[in-house]
Amino acid sequence: MSVEELFLSNSLKEFQGIKKLGDLTMKQLSYEELVWQPTSESNSIAIIVKHLSGNMISRWTDFLTSDGEKTWRNRDLEFEGTYSSKEEILAAWEKGWDVVFSAIQNLKEDDILKTITIRGEAHFVLQAIHRQISHYGYHIGQIVYVGKQVKNEQFTSLSIPRGQSEQYLNEKLKNVKHT
């Protein structure tokens, strides 16, 4: 496997991993919890999803051939209003991710060092991918944090639960020795 293929494969895996954190958080929440705002200046999970979906569709549509900030995107509207149901929130979430995954899966090795633009600024494809992994990770971290605030003790951990680090490490090491 070439370095370029490895980069694309790993990037797809990173996107899938951060999406899963959002999936597992939102699965635990009701519609009311998805639209809850911690403060008047905070975004609800629904608003974060609206923003992410708008960003994903804009950035990844015609990824190699047009600016990532599409003229039809209205970023400011992504922070207003909300969805009418949990199903609508999840549909927007999936629609955005479908565009991301399709674009990544269609990239070829020789695309990695091609230049694309985002808001008129030139980026290598490699840089643009890193930029989006960072951006999405930032917002999905917010989603998880708000989900934990809402559910408190009822939140099902998405990583190693408190007090179980040593047990987790021992299991990992045991499985490594057997493979």
Side-chain angles (χ1 to χ4, degrees):
M1 180 179 279
S2 71
V3 171
E4 293 84 359
E5 287 175 318
L6 185 59
F7 172 77
L8 290 172
S9 173
N10 186 65
S11 296
L12 181 61
K13 203 168 157 182
E14 289 296 318
F15 279 121
Q16 291 168 336
I18 58 177
K19 178 186 184 290
K20 185 177 179 181
L21 293 172
D23 289 341
L24 293 173
T25 298
M26 290 189 285
K27 184 178 180 178
Q28 298 181 52
L29 304 173
S30 68
Y31 171 74
E32 292 73 22
E33 292 166 331
L34 290 168
V35 298
W36 175 78
Q37 290 179 256
T39 69
S40 62
E41 288 301 307
S42 299
N43 292 317
S44 67
I45 290 173
I47 291 295
I48 296 169
V49 167
K50 193 174 186 185
H51 168 60
L52 281 172
S53 183
N55 176 280
M56 291 170 174
I57 294 167
S58 181
R59 292 288 185 270
W60 297 96
T61 298
D62 303 323
F63 179 67
L64 294 174
T65 57
S66 67
D67 193 283
E69 189 67 14
K70 306 297 185 278
T71 56
W72 44 258
R73 180 182 183 205
N74 188 336
R75 184 182 178 281
D76 290 334
L77 285 181
E78 295 167 9
F79 296 93
E80 296 177 13
T82 191
Y83 300 103
S84 60
S85 67
K86 180 174 181 175
E87 293 73 27
E88 197 177 345
I89 295 166
L90 296 177
W93 173 256
E94 293 299 333
K95 182 178 179 182
W97 282 110
D98 287 347
V99 177
V100 172
F101 294 145
S102 176
I104 293 287
Q105 290 166 340
N106 286 315
L107 290 174
K108 308 289 183 245
E109 285 182 58
D110 60 343
D111 292 331
I112 298 301
L113 294 178
K114 286 183 179 176
T115 302
I116 62 146
T117 58
I118 300 173
R119 295 186 184 119
E121 183 181 338
H123 298 274
F124 289 117
V125 166
L126 178 131
Q127 292 171 303
I129 290 171
H130 276 286
R131 175 182 172 147
Q132 294 314 112
I133 289 171
S134 176
H135 182 223
Y136 302 160
Y138 167 79
H139 285 303
I140 292 170
Q142 292 173 325
I143 288 171
V144 173
Y145 185 74
V146 171
K148 285 182 172 187
Q149 286 183 313
V150 170
K151 294 310 258 187
N152 202 11
E153 285 100 16
Q154 283 75 47
F155 188 82
T156 301
S157 177
L158 306 180
S159 63
I160 305 166
R162 286 184 188 187
Q164 296 181 24
S165 295
E166 190 173 335
Q167 175 187 343
Y168 177 83
L169 177 59
N170 289 336
E171 277 298 312
K172 279 297 229 188
L173 294 174
K174 183 173 127 184
N175 290 335
V176 170
K177 290 176 186 173
H178 290 267
T179 57

